[in-house]
Amino acid sequence: MKKNVHPLAPGSTIGIMGGGQLGRMTALAAGKLGYKCHIYCPEADSPASQVSAATTLGAYDDIAALKAFGEAVDVVTFEFENIPHESVQLLTEHAVVRPGWKSLAVAQDRLVEKEFINEIAPTTPFRKVESAADLEAAANEIGRPAVLKTARMGYDGKGQVLIAPDCDYEAAWAEMGAEIGILEAFVDLERELSVIVARSPGGGWATYPPVENRHVNHILDTTIAPAVLSDDMAKEAVDISHAIADGLDLVGLLAVELFVTRGGKLLVNEIAPRPHNSGHWTMDACPTSQFEQFVRAVCGLPLGNVTPHHDAEMKNLIGSAARGWADLMSEGTAHLHLYGKAEIRDGRKMGHVNRLYPRGHWK
Ligand code: AMP
């Protein structure tokens, strides 16, 4: 029997699929509003479990464990989107699942995602590729340089190969390492933006201002918030994001990553139906953080104020950068967030720091 979630009252339990830092910061925000969180993930001592009331340790396709989890919680949400379809279906039989399956299905496959987005907003040209021969044919069509990506399970640049004009296609195909890939035309980037929108069950909106994201080695390094943009481009980015969230019939949070080309055009890169690394600045610079907003949307509560009271720079602490925690704590304007990960590894997101500035600082 599904539970009543209109709205879900404080004291209830939010089930979160995934145990990473996004789940951790969601659980902390949920706790502030009087909710409990129950994490479902395969790893013991996960960042999210450390700060949550309960954890179910299980594989994402463990039917019995998923069923018990669905029965134990009042609503189910996700801190990452790579959950098998059958598992989401099963959870839906026991609890209200937000966002719905469509958001997850679109976001977990780059081909489905680009096809869906293309109905709404421009993307870079792309082709489906299933062999080295396909790859060569696709590169001849869309041109070089191009970027080969795995269709599924890719993140932070993992599974991506640059296809240069003198490419060895067999080697590039083997390097990508998946059965289905997507070849994208390389975008001559001026910069990268993202927009985070919250959408409530009744269709209400709250939208954070667009931010600028700077990547190092394909991993987000720094977010500048808000981005310094013309009013027209900011409006276009927000309109695109609303149209995508509407198209998904999303309840929860949606992050939309956009490229700005050197010609000044906006192209959508990808979407994530959950809190996003480029929204971490909201924790210290907005009245309602993206994590609290996510909880509010998923529980059917009124959405909170998203107008920043400060400008901000969010810097990820990746790998050994987290060793600087003591110095960061003694920095006056720095707000440090660490994720409780025991082992420092290259490329691993260990925490982030938000530095605040008066409004208008970036203009
Ligand atoms: P993604 O995993 O698709 O978000 O890619 C990670 C990063 O790689 C992006 O944020 C861009 O900096 C870069 N990138 C991805 N796709 C392209 C592309 N088609 N053209 C140029 N740069 C790209």
Side-chain angles (χ1 to χ4, degrees):
M1 251 279 283
K2 281 193 197 172
K3 298 101 187 171
N4 184 2
V5 287
H6 302 295
L8 190 63
S12 307
T13 300
I14 303 170
I16 302 178
M17 299 292 288
Q21 63 266 19
L22 301 177
R24 178 188 181 92
M25 292 182 275
T26 302
L28 291 169
K32 185 183 142 200
L33 296 180
Y35 294 91
K36 300 186 192 88
C37 287
H38 184 152
I39 306 300
Y40 188 105
C41 69
E43 312 88 18
D45 192 36
S46 70
S49 303
Q50 290 168 9
V51 300
S52 293
T55 296
T56 297
L57 281 184
Y60 291 118
D61 57 0
D62 180 336
I63 302 295
L66 285 166
K67 188 166 176 286
F69 170 75
E71 281 170 2
V73 303
D74 297 300
V75 67
V76 174
T77 193
F78 303 83
E79 64 112 45
F80 83 129
E81 48 272 9
N82 290 318
I83 313 275
H85 176 208
E86 299 72 21
S87 304
V88 180
Q89 201 59 47
L90 185 106
L91 289 168
T92 310
E93 289 166 22
H94 300 281
V96 170
V97 173
R98 291 176 169 159
W101 167 240
K102 184 172 181 189
S103 299
L104 295 170
V106 168
Q108 68 181 215
D109 186 310
R110 287 185 194 275
L111 278 160
V112 178
E113 179 181 61
K114 285 248 153 47
E115 276 156 15
F116 169 80
I117 291 169
N118 242 278
E119 300 287 315
I120 297 171
T123 67
T124 191
F126 63 94
R127 296 285 183 278
K128 180 180 185 178
V129 285
E130 294 179 278
S131 66
D134 268 5
L135 175 61
E136 183 165 5
N140 286 337
E141 270 187 69
I142 65 174
R144 284 151 290 227
V147 187
L148 175 64
K149 301 179 180 179
T150 54
R152 298 176 78 90
M153 305 297 280
Y155 65 97
D156 285 347
K158 290 188 173 63
Q160 296 193 12
V161 185
L162 184 72
I163 305 298
D166 58 349
C167 179
D168 174 341
Y169 293 100
E170 292 287 350
W173 181 251
E175 189 184 337
M176 190 263 299
E179 282 176 15
I180 304 179
I182 175 171
L183 186 72
E184 294 182 6
F186 189 83
V187 179
D188 188 15
L189 283 172
E190 195 235 301
R191 54 186 167 151
E192 297 186 53
L193 307 176
S194 61
V195 176
I196 294 178
V197 306
R199 193 165 174 277
S200 65
W205 292 104
T207 309
Y208 294 95
V211 298
E212 178 175 340
N213 299 315
R214 298 178 183 160
H215 294 75
V216 175
N217 298 328
H218 299 277
I219 302 178
L220 180 64
D221 181 71
T222 306
T223 295
I224 301 294
V228 180
L229 289 178
S230 69
D231 289 349
D232 283 354
M233 186 172 279
K235 182 176 181 314
E236 189 185 343
V238 167
D239 287 349
I240 287 173
S241 305
H242 285 182
I244 294 173
D246 262 341
L248 293 171
D249 203 17
L250 175 117
V251 173
L253 231 54
L254 182 76
V256 179
E257 294 182 33
L258 302 128
F259 295 144
V260 183
T261 69
R262 289 208 185 273
K265 239 181 112 187
L266 278 180
L267 302 175
V268 178
N269 175 32
E270 61 179 1
I271 60 173
R274 52 165 169 75
H276 192 257
N277 195 165
S278 69
H280 290 0
W281 67 282
T282 62
M283 296 173 84
D284 298 301
C286 294
T288 314
S289 76
Q290 66 162 345
F291 298 102
E292 179 176 332
Q293 199 75 284
F294 182 48
V295 170
R296 285 174 177 244
V298 163
C299 294
L301 305 171
L303 298 177
N305 183 346
V306 288
T307 305
H309 45 74
H310 281 85
D311 283 8
E313 179 195 70
M314 188 288 306
K315 174 104 179 125
N316 270 336
L317 300 174
I318 295 172
S320 58
R323 295 193 205 284
W325 57 267
D327 287 343
L328 290 166
M329 277 188 197
S330 58
E331 220 186 272
T333 58
H335 296 255
L336 179 64
H337 302 265
L338 294 172
Y339 306 150
K341 296 181 184 176
E343 193 195 337
I344 291 182
R345 280 189 241 127
D346 280 355
R348 193 175 201 201
K349 291 176 179 169
M350 304 298 296
H352 68 271
V353 59
N354 288 329
R355 294 190 171 89
L356 302 187
Y357 303 98
R359 288 287 287 136
H361 175 81
W362 300 118
K363 292 225 168 179

